């Protein structure tokens, strides 16, 4: 039964004429057109008729019976609901589910026209692709999102999009795009006097991207961090400042900043970064040549990352664990960690490349030049497949250095 047929039957059941049903809300001809199927009601009129006829909400119809405007609004409401579910899944670390929900929200919007929620969905999909280890897809999504944000003409949206683009590009190995996008976001934040929290995020992106002005940006971030009070964003700022200290060789400052970061990061406010922090902190210490506290950090990293549905993060943890094992002289243990991680066939090429390169170093330390060269070549192929030129070059350099060392040993 169509809406018009249901309306006519309900009107007659109530003993009302078309004039009485119309009352002072609409014309008699409008009611006639509805009953004949020549028109569809707006959501307000649908509610009016159900109230006038003493019917339960939904008795006369659903979203499919609404006018074009009503159907569009209902579709947008459904997209918002799907987006909200995707955000919740993402924050809880269920990245695969979040991706499906965000894509469903985008498809829903495509049937009802453009909406502001489109930009939010784009930003969320960048983050989800990053967490899934799909860095190339994240860059493509981020650049499209940046273009859309610029079209809107909002400095805030453009700055946030630039920060996301920088993050995605850095992980995908595009250092130039990562640095330039972050620097553009910093300049936009400063010229448009955007909120301190956004400026801090832009500064963190620029520092993490290794921009030429990273030292100056770190000084600005240090000054800005104090204004952020004790928030998760302040925790992220301390995290980045701690990384800067470790890179400069300031062990005590690095430990202090990372301790503050660990206290401020919260699983309820920012589950993803809370889960990732111990692994990054351990990695920074090892890169600085400091093994103090690394074992404890790695144990904590394993317990937290087991809660996060990210094979990429667990594979990265395996690389850090392998590095620590090698530093302790346990090369066989390092290789066991790497082999176990490589069993996951769903890892992105760039992550596989990092695992193979870590294995090449371990085999090299064992003196197995043949195997070291073979897996380094595997690493180069994976990095090339991922489009990470810098890492591919690093793998080829390892192959050359290994070959030279072998020749000198045979001389």
């Amino acid at each position: 039964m169509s809406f018009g047929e249901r309306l006519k039957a309900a009107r007659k059941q109530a003993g009302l004429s078309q004039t009485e049903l119309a009352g002072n809300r609409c014309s008699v001809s409008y009611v006639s057109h509805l009953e004949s199927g020549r028109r569809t009601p707006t959501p307000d009129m649908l509610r009016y008729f159900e109230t006038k006829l003493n019917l339960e909400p939904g008795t006369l119809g659903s979203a499919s019976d609404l006018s074009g405007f009503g159907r569009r609004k209902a579709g947008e409401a459904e997209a918002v609901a799907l987006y909200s579910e995707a955000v919740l899944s993402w924050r809880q670390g269920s990245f695969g589910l979040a991706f499906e929900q965000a894509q469903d929200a985008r498809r829903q919007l495509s049937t009802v026209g453009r909406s502001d929620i489109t930009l939010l969905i784009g930003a969320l999909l960048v983050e989800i692709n990053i967490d899934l280890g799909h860095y190339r897809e994240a860059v493509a999504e981020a650049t499209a999102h940046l273009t859309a944000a610029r079209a809107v003409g909002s400095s805030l949206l453009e700055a946030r999009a630039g920060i996301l683009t920088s993050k995605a590009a850095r992980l995908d190995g595009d250092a130039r795009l990562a640095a330039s996008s972050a620097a553009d976001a910093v300049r936009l934040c400063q010229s448009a006097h955007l909120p301190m929290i956004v400026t801090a995020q832009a500064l963190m992106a620029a520092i993490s991207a290794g921009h030429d002005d990273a030292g100056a940006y770190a000084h600005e971030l240090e000054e800005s961090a104090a204004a952020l009070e004790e928030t998760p964003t302040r925790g992220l700022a301390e995290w980045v400042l701690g990384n800067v200290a470790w890179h400069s060789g300031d062990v005590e400052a690095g430990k202090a900043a990372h301790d503050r970061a660990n206290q401020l990061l919260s699983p309820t406010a920012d589950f993803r970064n809370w889960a990732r922090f111990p692994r990054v902190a351990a990695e920074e210490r090892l890169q600085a040549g400091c093994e103090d506290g690394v074992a404890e950090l790695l144990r904590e990293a394993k317990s937290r990352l087991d809660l996060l549905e990210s094979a990429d993060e667990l594979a990265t943890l395996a690389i850090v664990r392998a590095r620590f094992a090698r530093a302790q002289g346990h090369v066989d243990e390092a290789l066991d960690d790497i082999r176990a991680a490589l069993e996951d066939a769903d890892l992105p090429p760039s992550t596989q490349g990092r695992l193979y390169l870590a294995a090449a170093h371990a085999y090299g330390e064992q003196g197995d030049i043949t195997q070291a060269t073979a897996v380094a070549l595997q690493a180069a192929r994976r990095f090339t497949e991922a489009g990470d030129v810098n890492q591919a070059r690093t793998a080829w350099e390892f192959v050359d250095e290994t070959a030279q060392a072998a020749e000198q040993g045979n001389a």
Side-chain angles (χ1 to χ4, degrees), residues 150-170:
R150 285 173 176 160
V152 171
S154 165
S155 297
L156 178 61
L157 290 176
E158 184 178 343
R160 288 189 180 279
I163 293 166
L164 278 176
T165 302
S166 176
K167 181 179 179 181
R170 173 171 55 85

Side-chain angles (χ1 to χ4, degrees), residues 25 38 48 81 99 103 106 121 157 176 178 204 221 250 257 294 300 304 327 345-346 366 388 390:
R25 287 294 302 273
R38 291 192 295 271
Y48 163 74
F99 181 81
Q103 290 284 36
R106 173 175 278 176
I121 294 171
L157 290 176
R176 180 177 298 180
M204 284 186 269
L221 180 61
D250 192 338
V294 171
E300 183 64 23
R304 293 189 189 185
D346 293 330
Q366 282 187 331
D388 193 334
N390 290 331

Side-chain angles (χ1 to χ4, degrees), residues 36-241:
S36 65
R38 291 192 295 271
R39 295 192 63 174
T40 54
T42 64
D44 285 344
M45 288 307 298
L46 182 62
R47 288 192 291 271
Y48 163 74
F49 291 135
E50 288 178 335
T51 301
K52 183 78 172 181
L53 296 168
N54 294 317
L55 301 174
E56 291 292 326
T59 302
L60 289 178
S62 61
S64 62
D65 299 310
L66 304 179
S67 65
F69 173 79
R71 285 194 297 272
R72 187 164 59 252
K73 297 302 290 184
E76 289 179 358
E78 185 175 345
V80 170
L82 288 166
Y83 167 76
S84 300
E85 291 173 2
V87 170
L88 181 60
S89 297
W90 171 61
R91 287 178 175 169
Q92 292 175 339
S94 299
F95 304 132
L97 177 59
F99 181 81
E100 293 176 3
Q101 291 167 331
Q103 290 284 36
D104 285 344
R106 173 175 278 176
R107 282 190 289 271
Q108 180 63 38
L109 279 180
S110 69
T111 66
V112 296
R114 181 180 174 82
S115 170
D116 291 342
I117 197 69
T118 302
L119 281 169
L120 297 177
I121 294 171
L124 179 60
L125 281 167
V126 176
E127 295 279 18
I128 294 172
N129 273 306
I130 287 173
D131 288 323
L132 287 171
H134 301 160
Y135 302 135
R136 185 167 293 181
E137 292 84 349
V139 171
E141 190 75 56
T143 51
H145 176 61
L146 180 57
T147 299
R150 285 173 176 160
V152 171
S154 165
S155 297
L156 178 61
L157 290 176
E158 184 178 343
R160 288 189 180 279
I163 293 166
L164 278 176
T165 302
S166 176
K167 181 179 179 181
R170 173 171 55 85
L171 292 169
D172 193 45
D174 192 338
R176 180 177 298 180
L177 178 60
S180 63
S181 299
D184 287 345
V186 170
R187 284 192 291 271
L188 193 57
C189 287
Q190 295 170 340
S191 63
H193 304 291
L194 296 181
M196 181 62 68
I197 189 170
V198 183
T199 302
Q201 290 168 350
L203 289 168
M204 284 186 269
I207 295 166
S208 300
H211 193 277
D212 291 341
D213 295 328
Y217 289 145
H219 181 68
E220 290 182 48
L221 180 61
E222 195 168 8
E223 291 182 342
S224 303
L228 296 174
E229 299 180 349
E230 293 190 356
T231 63
T233 302
R234 171 69 181 272
L236 292 176
E238 294 289 356
W239 178 345
V240 173
L241 291 171

